[in-house]
Amino acid sequence: MSLSADYTDRIPNNVDLRGDRRLQRALEAWQPRFMQWWRDLGPDLIARDVYLRTAISADRDGWAHFGHIPLEEYRWGIFLADREPDRRIAFGEHMGMTAWQQVPGEYRAELQRLLVVQGDTEPASVEQQRLLGFTAPSLYDLRNLFQVNVEEGRHLWAMVYLLHAFFGREGREQAEELLMRHSGSVDAPRILGAFNEPTRDWLAFFMFTYFTDRDGKFQLGTLAESGFDPLSRTCRFMLREEAHHMMVGTTGIDRVVRRSAELMREHDTDDIKRHGGIPLDIVQRYLNFHYSVSLDLFGGERSTNVANYFTAGLKGRWQEERRQDDHRLTELTATVDVVVDGRVERTEIPALVALNQDLRSEYFTDCNNGVRRWNRILEEAGVDRTLSLPHHGFNRRVGAFAGSWVTPGGSLVDVETWARREPEWLPTPDDFEYVQSLMKPVFLPGMMAAWIAPPATGINGQPVDYEYVHLT
Ligand code: BYC
């Protein structure tokens, strides 16, 4: 069954909000607070209108509609993917049972926690990116930034809907708090580390949408397996939007690397700062930073939380149904790293408590595809340099390597060595200053900043020089 969206409501939705007046009123009361938050902490650059896609229904063909609209008139709505008839729980101790349409009482707290953590990341990323519009390298990029921002706003709506619809007063309170914590705030920071880091410039934005949005893809993929059907359906729909965010990251880094390679060839030097490009050493340091803080988002290698989520049927594995095992994992073990007396050792633990590592390794494989792609660009340009992912122990605050000093190659070193060599591995104040010096807006249709190559294609079949944004 495909539910079409109701656009006559103040809150467009395909969840029959009109049929539940209490819920509708509660969400309509939250809506002005959301709008206030968007005005205060959403994109700061005023554009008259932006060429955006808007979700208008959840069925295969009709889910996105493109057109120029003022940002504040974007219709943030509530959309769930279609309900699968007779869907069954695919893992854990309730495997084979009919998927839940209501919150199972015994798992209420865990489920609420997952929704709050997921919901917290969405507005956080908008807050992190709010000033980037002022320095967009092209109208094409500016449009993509705003597209990502409005969709993260919609993903917040997705979690707030679930909190309001299924968690009563506590859910409503949590929904309020999602607007009260702020990225980087000392008093009320966002919950997960990476969402309190500043996104200072467009290289950081591309790295964020490549590495951190990709954590979103994998976490949403595990929640799409959830036995709590409304969560699964919400995440399945969110994943379609997420794909565009990662495209922005992948092709953004492609374009930086391509331009840097061009300048290196043209001037026969690695030192392309004089020629207005971003040296590959700086690209690698940004990559090291964003990949390592994104690895922290997977939690610890050994986690009873994840074991409980899985056993309860709340959070599955990536592509759970394609896995060839018993989907309960009570008898299996997995091997994880531990740091003992300054050495890395491998130890065997129950597979259930190692599930964060399972997801992290799927993520690693996916991240590596990008690195291969960027290295192909370098090779094709005749540049004898490569980029690489640092070791999973590098620069970690969470898990087995927290508190240890690990080089990008994976060697444990003492704190003095780390302090001496950190400027080789992580972005330095000079790097930030240099990249910032390149951040000058380019707002003429089809024109690009000199540090980045143009994209191969435009959006939705439009040419690259299309006027994607009309500025005020
Ligand atoms: N920072 O048992 P542990 C996205 C906490 S991104 C701070 O090792 P667990 C997006 C943890 O909460 C996807 N705290 O790990 C991307 C726990 O605290 P409690 C977001 C951290 O719980 C871009 C304690 O440490 N969605 O959508 O299995 C733009 C022990 O944790 C961190 C989700 O993450 C950290 N990095 O896994 C926009 C899905 N890591 O409970 C959007 C929902 C761990 O002891 N969340 N902690 O107080 C989860 O599945 C899990 O909560 C986590 C952590 C994967 C985050």
Side-chain angles (χ1 to χ4, degrees):
M1 179 182 53
S2 175
L3 299 170
S4 62
D6 188 342
Y7 261 84
T8 57
D9 276 0
R10 266 167 63 189
I11 304 168
N13 69 91
N14 70 354
V15 293
D16 187 24
L17 214 48
R18 281 185 182 199
D20 186 341
R21 289 284 174 200
R22 266 175 69 133
L23 176 60
Q24 185 179 30
R25 271 201 302 276
L27 285 165
E28 283 179 357
W30 186 80
Q31 189 176 35
R33 295 187 198 129
F34 169 82
M35 289 308 298
Q36 189 57 48
W37 165 83
W38 178 263
R39 280 189 292 274
D40 292 346
L41 290 172
D44 206 19
L45 177 76
I46 310 295
R48 194 167 79 236
D49 56 31
V50 184
Y51 187 66
L52 292 177
R53 68 173 184 187
T54 308
I56 54 167
S57 82
D59 49 12
R60 195 168 287 276
D61 306 317
W63 78 280
H65 169 79
F66 280 86
H68 277 99
I69 53 167
L71 272 190
E72 63 283 5
E73 285 176 24
Y74 182 84
R75 305 300 305 275
W76 284 279
I78 299 163
F79 299 100
L80 272 57
D82 295 343
R83 188 161 158 184
E84 263 176 44
D86 194 33
R87 180 168 174 261
R88 304 265 156 178
I89 300 171
F91 58 94
E93 67 184 9
H94 305 290
M95 187 173 154
M97 281 171 53
T98 303
W100 301 299
Q101 298 305 327
Q102 293 298 326
V103 174
E106 71 267 42
Y107 304 136
R108 197 178 170 80
E110 286 87 347
L111 203 45
Q112 185 174 306
R113 171 85 185 147
L114 285 171
L115 299 183
V116 166
V117 171
Q118 180 63 49
D120 191 71
T121 62
E122 313 289 1
S125 67
V126 175
E127 293 166 356
Q128 286 169 297
Q129 296 162 12
R130 68 186 296 256
L131 298 177
L132 290 175
F134 290 112
T135 57
S138 71
L139 287 184
Y140 163 90
D141 290 291
L142 184 60
R143 175 255 168 229
N144 284 344
L145 169 72
F146 289 154
Q147 183 73 62
V148 168
N149 291 164
V150 291
E151 285 174 354
E152 300 302 8
R154 210 199 63 72
H155 293 178
L156 169 62
W157 271 95
M159 292 303 127
V160 165
Y161 162 70
L162 294 175
L163 287 168
H164 273 222
F166 296 98
F167 292 88
R169 190 170 53 79
E170 250 182 83
R172 289 193 294 278
E173 282 166 12
Q174 292 291 343
E176 293 292 308
E177 286 180 23
L178 289 173
L179 297 176
M180 280 149 67
R181 284 185 293 271
H182 297 317
S183 178
S185 155
V186 178
D187 304 326
R190 292 296 177 184
I191 296 169
L192 299 178
F195 294 91
N196 289 303
E197 300 287 349
T199 307
R200 294 180 170 83
D201 55 58
W202 279 77
L203 182 57
F205 172 65
F206 293 137
M207 292 289 174
F208 184 96
T209 41
Y210 187 81
F211 289 109
T212 307
D213 277 275
R214 195 167 302 273
D215 170 54
K217 164 181 163 180
F218 282 88
Q219 298 292 350
L220 290 173
T222 65
L223 297 177
E225 302 286 345
S226 183
F228 178 49
D229 201 43
L231 174 59
S232 164
R233 290 171 57 207
T234 302
C235 291
R236 277 186 276 141
F237 188 69
M238 289 162 75
L239 277 165
R240 294 198 218 163
E241 290 167 321
E242 208 61 51
H244 173 262
H245 305 187
M246 281 174 293
M247 183 285 281
V248 169
T250 310
T251 58
I253 303 173
D254 280 5
R255 291 161 56 210
V256 173
V257 169
R258 179 165 290 119
R259 182 65 183 140
S260 297
E262 251 169 44
L263 290 168
M264 288 165 77
R265 288 284 295 184
E266 197 180 315
H267 300 284
D268 196 20
T269 176
D270 287 2
D271 178 19
I272 52 173
K273 279 189 181 176
R274 277 180 298 145
H275 309 290
I278 305 185
L280 291 181
D281 288 345
I282 296 186
V283 175
Q284 179 69 60
R285 287 195 282 274
Y286 269 63
L287 184 160
N288 289 349
F289 174 76
H290 286 273
Y291 177 63
S292 56
V293 297
S294 300
L295 286 184
D296 279 346
L297 296 174
F298 289 86
E301 287 80 352
R302 186 197 289 260
S303 162
T304 49
N305 284 349
V306 76
N308 293 339
Y309 295 147
F310 183 87
T311 304
L314 303 178
K315 183 179 178 189
R317 286 171 295 173
W318 179 250
Q319 302 202 321
E320 182 66 48
E321 280 156 74
R322 294 202 199 156
R323 305 275 185 132
Q324 303 293 328
D325 53 33
D326 70 355
H327 301 279
R328 293 177 192 270
L329 312 182
T330 45
E331 308 298 321
L332 300 177
T333 57
T335 312
V336 296
D337 286 336
V338 276
V339 178
V340 185
D341 298 333
R343 283 195 324 276
V344 183
E345 292 180 3
R346 305 279 289 158
T347 184
E348 204 160 281
I349 60 173
L352 279 170
V353 289
L355 283 176
N356 283 338
Q357 175 179 272
D358 179 87
L359 189 63
R360 193 188 73 194
S361 50
E362 298 285 343
Y363 170 81
F364 162 77
T365 307
D366 210 34
C367 287
N368 229 355
N369 290 335
V371 174
R372 268 204 294 275
R373 194 184 153 110
W374 305 321
N375 286 338
R376 214 164 34 241
I377 293 174
L378 292 171
E379 194 185 329
E380 282 165 13
V383 168
D384 189 18
R385 285 281 306 270
T386 52
L387 297 167
S388 57
L389 295 178
H391 184 268
H392 57 265
F394 172 76
N395 191 38
R396 296 295 307 281
R397 302 276 179 277
V398 173
F401 292 93
S404 299
W405 306 102
V406 181
T407 68
S411 307
L412 279 168
V413 291
D414 55 39
V415 64
E416 290 77 23
T417 309
W418 171 273
R420 200 177 62 251
R421 302 200 55 192
E422 187 185 336
E424 292 170 47
W425 301 327
L426 287 171
T428 62
D430 282 355
D431 291 344
F432 290 136
E433 197 181 322
Y434 174 68
V435 175
Q436 199 59 53
S437 75
L438 300 176
M439 298 293 120
K440 304 276 187 311
V442 177
F443 288 156
L444 289 173
M447 300 289 284
M448 293 288 139
W451 55 270
I452 190 167
T457 53
I459 295 294
N460 190 37
Q462 302 290 0
V464 173
D465 63 3
Y466 185 64
E467 199 162 353
Y468 288 104
V469 182
H470 297 124
L471 294 168
T472 43

